[in-house]
């Protein structure tokens, strides 16, 4: 018969979980935690009224072009459409 209490596997499981949690904690502390988007820096323009209508559409179009979401030809075509309206 087995002379022990038979709980050795439970101790091993708890030890493994503890080690994994310790590794995660160390990685987060060393790595600076989770990545977050930087908060927008306040500017003097924050008090200005937000652009509306075509002005806002042009702003969005320019932002998309700057991020590389659209190419020059598409940017110019859409900009021309906005100016024609």
């Amino acid at each position: 018969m087995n002379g022990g209490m038979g709980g050795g596997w439970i101790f091993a499981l708890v030890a493994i979980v503890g080690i994994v949690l310790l590794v995660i904690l160390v990685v987060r502390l060393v790595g600076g935690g989770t990545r977050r988007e930087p908060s927008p820096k306040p500017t003097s323009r924050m008090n200005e009224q937000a652009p509306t209508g075509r002005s806002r559409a042009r702003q969005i179009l320019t932002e998309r072009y700057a991020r590389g979401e659209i190419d020059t030809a598409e940017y110019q075509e859409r900009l021309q459409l906005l100016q024609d309206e």
Side-chain angles (χ1 to χ4, degrees):
M1 283 185 79
N2 191 357
M5 295 179 60
W9 65 274
I10 294 175
F11 176 75
L13 183 64
V14 170
I16 290 172
V17 169
I19 291 171
V20 169
L21 290 175
L22 183 62
V23 168
I24 291 172
L25 178 66
V26 169
V27 168
R28 288 188 68 152
L29 288 174
V30 171
T34 59
R35 292 183 182 252
R36 295 182 183 163
E37 294 293 322
S39 60
K41 297 191 185 328
T43 63
S44 61
R45 296 187 67 201
M46 292 196 93
N47 293 335
E48 293 179 13
Q49 191 173 7
T52 58
R54 278 185 259 167
S55 175
R56 177 70 180 135
R58 256 186 249 122
Q59 182 182 7
I60 293 171
L61 183 63
T62 302
E63 289 171 1
R64 289 187 63 203
Y65 179 65
R67 287 190 300 260
E69 294 178 11
I70 58 176
D71 60 9
T72 304
E74 185 174 359
Y75 172 75
Q76 291 174 344
E77 178 184 343
R78 291 178 184 232
L79 188 61
Q80 184 64 40
L81 287 172
L82 286 171
Q83 290 172 349
D84 289 344
E85 288 182 353

